[in-house]
Amino acid sequence: MRGHANDTIRNGCINNRVWKGGKTLAPYLAKKGWQVTVVEQSSAMYGGTCINIGCIPTKSLIHSAEMIAARGISEFAEKARAYEEAWNFKEELVSSLRSKHQTNLSNTSDIQLINGQASFLSPHEVLVKGEGEESITIKAIQIFINTGAVPVMPTVEGGSSRIYSSTTLLGLNKLPRRLVIVGSGFIGLECASMYANFGTEVTVIERGATILKQEDEDIRESIKSVLEPRGIRFLVSSRFGSN
């Protein structure tokens, strides 16, 4: 974070966060002659969803899970060790790609990277707060908001440190013996399939009458016929709660 309170940088463009749209738009505008400032609130999110918490880490784990399932390991302790190795490989892969994207942006002329949280002061002015008391004011002709989204978490009485979203589940470095997945959309079933292959006992809870309700019946039944033999249990027309 550079600058202190009341410092001002004048730029042609501010791009808020280095996600899929941001990492593409910033160098494009810089090559057009714009002065671009990119504000990223998390140093762990350079490169966006796909690299850090989406396609890359999930597909890495899915591939590892398929390889482990093919080995026919019976002991849970051995499965847990294999999962930890797969998780560490995923972390190294993501870290490498994240660093590459950050370096590519840093080395692009007319792009300035700032780590911090941005908020609007006016239609053409944002305040970026970093750690501690550091802050910087940036003025720009154009401001692009590229903040992404966050998952909606259900309310559970009493809360629990063992409740995960599809994002935080990727940070679980120990293989769970049992896993309950609420919702049977494509992300939920992807996680169910992956963890079942790793050796976890998986239950999917769906409040609707069927899984993958947005898909045709033949597709739903085909997917179910693949997942159930792996030991995945489906509870449809069901709700979950806490004791």
Side-chain angles (χ1 to χ4, degrees), residues 199-218:
T200 297
E201 180 184 318
V202 179
T203 299
V204 177
I205 298 177
E206 170 57 53
R207 66 180 178 180
T210 182
I211 66 170
L212 289 172
K213 61 182 178 181
Q214 73 274 21
E215 304 295 344
D216 292 338
E217 183 178 359
D218 58 334

Side-chain angles (χ1 to χ4, degrees), residues 83-242:
Y83 173 81
E84 190 169 348
E85 291 175 0
W87 188 87
N88 287 332
F89 175 80
K90 178 265 296 182
E91 287 291 289
E92 292 173 2
L93 174 63
V94 169
S95 178
S96 174
L97 293 173
R98 181 193 305 131
S99 177
K100 180 179 179 181
H101 276 77
Q102 184 175 1
T103 299
N104 286 344
L105 283 175
S106 297
N107 292 340
T108 302
S109 299
D110 293 325
I111 292 181
Q112 178 188 34
L113 297 183
I114 298 178
N115 288 330
Q117 189 170 34
S119 59
F120 278 93
L121 295 176
S122 71
H124 296 283
E125 190 176 30
V126 297
L127 176 67
V128 182
K129 293 183 178 180
E131 296 180 357
E133 299 299 321
E134 292 182 329
S135 64
I136 191 169
T137 301
I138 309 175
K139 295 181 180 180
I141 299 170
Q142 300 284 347
I143 299 176
F144 296 90
I145 302 173
N146 183 49
T147 53
V150 294
V152 176
M153 297 294 290
T155 301
V156 178
E157 185 178 350
S160 174
S161 60
R162 294 185 295 174
I163 296 178
Y164 302 91
S165 67
S166 58
T167 297
T168 58
L169 190 61
L170 290 172
L172 189 63
N173 62 357
K174 301 295 182 184
L175 182 65
R177 285 185 177 272
R178 290 173 292 276
L179 180 66
V180 174
I181 295 176
V182 180
S184 63
F186 64 91
I187 294 178
L189 295 189
E190 181 180 61
C191 291
S193 174
M194 178 180 75
Y195 274 97
N197 278 340
F198 274 124
T200 297
E201 180 184 318
V202 179
T203 299
V204 177
I205 298 177
E206 170 57 53
R207 66 180 178 180
T210 182
I211 66 170
L212 289 172
K213 61 182 178 181
Q214 73 274 21
E215 304 295 344
D216 292 338
E217 183 178 359
D218 58 334
I219 294 176
R220 294 197 298 264
E221 291 303 315
S222 178
I223 291 175
K224 195 173 182 180
S225 69
V226 171
L227 297 181
E228 283 186 326
R230 299 184 194 173
I232 298 174
R233 183 171 61 144
F234 292 97
L235 301 179
V236 297
S237 301
S238 303
R239 293 181 179 272
F240 82 102
S242 57

